[in-house]
Amino acid sequence: MFSKIDRHSDWAPLLLRLFVGFVLIYGTQDNVFNHARMVEFQDFLEANDFPLPMASAYLSVYAQFLAGILLLLGLMTRYAAFVVVVNFIVALWKVHLNLPFDANIAPMAMLVGGLFFFLYGAPKYSLDSLMHNRKQMRHHEGLRVQVGPR
């Protein structure tokens, strides 16, 4: 019944990766490009008892922004996803723990998206896949040269 859809299943991780990457970039770009917004985030972190609030603000914002770019590209996907996982575990633990469920949906979605790509990687349609395939081709070409008659 779903055989025609199964042919396109490789698009699902791509769409999810693009969505998570876009949300991370969109959610942090105002802090990256507007220092006043970064100061607001620092004040928010200070109010939530984060250590070194300005350093924590820069670390969180730039980690999410760069991870978003890497996820969009499918480059160093598992590393970027690990950063997302750590960032959102801290956010949920330090800020969202006592909030109602509906206030936690967005950070939980980013955590789950990060976990997915940390565990799954970026298959087809990613720079990771492209680089892996080229490395495999070079490896196989090297084996053919070595295996030939002596």
Side-chain angles (χ1 to χ4, degrees):
M1 179 174 164
F2 293 108
S3 61
K4 290 182 189 227
I5 294 173
D6 287 343
R7 291 182 298 164
H8 304 289
S9 64
D10 290 333
W11 287 93
L14 170 67
L15 294 173
L16 182 60
R17 199 180 80 236
L18 294 176
F19 174 76
V20 171
F22 174 80
V23 169
L24 289 167
I25 293 168
Y26 180 79
T28 56
Q29 54 81 28
D30 59 337
N31 296 60
V32 169
F33 299 114
N34 184 334
H35 184 69
R37 295 287 293 152
M38 187 68 83
V39 171
E40 287 177 25
F41 188 47
Q42 172 214 335
D43 295 343
F44 171 79
L45 294 179
E46 188 171 26
N48 284 284
D49 298 321
F50 277 79
L52 305 168
M54 185 52 95
S56 295
Y58 273 100
L59 179 63
S60 177
V61 165
Y62 280 96
Q64 290 180 67
F65 189 76
L66 294 174
I69 291 169
L70 291 172
L71 287 172
L72 277 181
L73 297 172
L75 180 63
M76 299 187 327
T77 302
R78 284 195 158 124
Y79 296 106
F82 180 75
V83 168
V84 171
V85 168
V86 170
N87 190 82
F88 282 98
I89 285 174
V90 170
L92 286 161
W93 170 57
K94 293 283 286 175
V95 177
H96 295 265
L97 194 60
N98 295 317
L99 296 177
F101 178 78
D102 60 342
N104 293 321
I105 292 172
M108 286 190 304
M110 291 295 101
L111 173 61
V112 170
L115 282 169
F116 176 84
F117 289 109
F118 178 68
L119 297 171
Y120 195 74
K124 263 186 165 181
Y125 314 121
S126 69
L127 290 178
D128 287 345
S129 176
L130 181 68
M131 292 183 335
H132 176 75
N133 291 343
R134 286 186 176 169
K135 184 179 176 182
Q136 290 294 96
M137 286 176 51
R138 282 194 304 269
H139 176 72
H140 289 301
E141 287 172 359
L143 288 177
R144 263 187 285 166
V145 170
Q146 294 173 7
V147 173
R150 296 180 184 217

